Amino acid sequence: MATRPGFPARLPGSPGHPPATKKIAGQAQRERSAGQNTSEDTQPRGYGLDSGAVRARMVQKLAAQGISDAQVLAAMGHVERHRFVDSALVNQAYEDTSLPIGLGQTISKPNVVARMLELLLGGQRGATGRLGRVLEIGTGCGYQAAVLSLVATEVYSIERLRGLHDRARENLRHFRLANVHLLFGDGMAGYAKGAPYAGIIAAAGGDAVPPAWVEQLAVGGRIVAPTVMADGKQALVVLEKTTRELKQTVLEAVHFVPLKSGIA
Ligand code: SAH
């Protein structure tokens, strides 16, 4: 699998990867005094946690839980999840738990985000080793969009609640992700202007996958969406589009907020 230069495919302490080369004594100091942005400088302080080490542990746990895609693990290890949650919840940011993000919505637990991205990436990847254009339905706080930005070439993310769309913009400003495009609108209609998509991922569960998503999906692409089944319970559904068919695979039970129509 090709990796982009600079893409953090190797994480300190992640299983199967050698530890990162230690800086020779004095080097970090020199870089700091030269005003360079070292990783040490970008670690948050004052939260009582060293977020790089905490994330590396989170990635180890994800790997132990069966997430094996190196790109997904690297991206999860890279994005500072604590920047997306309320300051009162910062200490829980790297626990495997969903967290409230306001307006009755939640950020999915890391394991579910990683699992869904792995399923999404199971489709075609381009020459860069990344997925092409991706559509995310349900921007929420913007966390998953940030992770997606590291595994896909372009990310279109749509949110129906103005308050969360604005909050995601605020949260993401810090990261300066040129390949993330935030949209305010009803994601049930997809976003035709960005189509066709190599992948479509929903962070909210509907009764069925809207036809617009299938139309806007490229051949060879995948939709990963929580969907309510006949028994009334949500399950993770993967749809793969080929030239001949739309193959559906129903996976494990999940608990996502409902997919709603219209904007608010
Ligand atoms: N990926 C998000 C998770 C957000 S929760 C994150 O990382 O934070 C799911 C989001 O889907 C909620 O913010 C909800 O408002 C949004 N949503 C529900 N139905 C939608 C629709 N039809 N179009 C766009 N967003 C929708």
Side-chain angles (χ1 to χ4, degrees):
M1 187 195 5
T3 39
R4 277 170 52 101
F7 190 82
R10 282 186 187 177
L11 292 170
S14 65
H17 292 112
T21 322
K22 280 217 171 79
K23 279 190 175 131
I24 44 171
Q27 186 182 340
Q29 185 103 41
R30 276 200 300 282
E31 282 174 7
R32 265 204 300 280
S33 54
Q36 286 180 14
N37 198 13
T38 66
S39 62
E40 286 149 54
D41 288 331
T42 54
Q43 307 272 304
R45 298 184 199 280
Y47 289 134
L49 54 81
D50 168 355
S51 85
V54 180
R55 267 196 309 287
R57 268 202 299 283
M58 177 186 83
V59 167
Q60 276 174 336
K61 271 191 214 149
L62 292 174
Q65 288 165 340
I67 306 294
S68 61
D69 190 301
Q71 248 183 324
V72 172
L73 290 171
M76 296 292 294
H78 198 66
V79 178
E80 297 166 320
R81 195 169 184 260
H82 66 271
R83 292 192 185 274
F84 294 87
V85 300
D86 193 88
S87 55
L89 299 169
V90 156
N91 287 336
Q92 292 175 63
Y94 298 103
E95 284 172 20
D96 203 18
T97 177
S98 56
L99 293 170
I101 53 171
L103 302 178
Q105 308 302 314
T106 50
I107 180 175
S108 306
K109 49 183 186 172
N111 180 275
V112 173
V113 172
R115 165 84 170 137
M116 287 177 76
L117 295 194
E118 194 165 70
L119 290 169
L120 196 71
L121 284 167
Q124 287 180 347
R125 294 190 207 192
T128 57
R130 290 190 179 212
L131 206 57
R133 275 195 308 277
V134 166
L135 176 67
E136 178 190 43
I137 291 93
T139 314
C141 66
Y143 171 71
Q144 185 171 269
V147 183
L148 278 168
S149 80
L150 297 176
V151 300
T153 56
E154 298 290 331
V155 180
Y156 291 86
S157 182
I158 188 160
E159 173 58 55
R160 66 177 287 276
L161 297 178
R162 170 71 78 181
L164 284 177
H165 168 74
D166 291 344
R167 194 167 304 170
R169 195 171 290 289
E170 277 289 299
N171 289 342
L172 288 168
R173 185 167 297 138
H174 166 84
F175 296 93
R176 296 167 186 258
L177 302 169
N179 65 342
V180 174
H181 314 283
L182 298 184
L183 309 156
F184 173 58
D186 182 356
M188 299 262 260
Y191 181 65
K193 281 188 190 153
Y197 297 101
I200 298 180
I201 185 165
D207 292 336
V209 170
W213 301 359
V214 177
E215 278 158 31
Q216 292 171 22
L217 185 68
V219 169
R222 288 182 168 199
I223 295 174
V224 180
T227 308
V228 180
M229 299 284 109
D231 63 2
K233 293 185 181 143
Q234 268 183 4
L236 214 46
V237 168
V238 177
L239 295 177
E240 290 172 82
K241 192 177 190 174
T242 69
T243 45
R244 285 178 295 114
E245 59 164 0
L246 192 65
K247 189 180 153 207
Q248 174 176 293
T249 312
V250 179
L251 298 162
E252 68 268 23
V254 282
H255 305 280
F256 278 80
V257 295
L259 183 72
K260 293 188 178 170
S261 55
I263 52 172

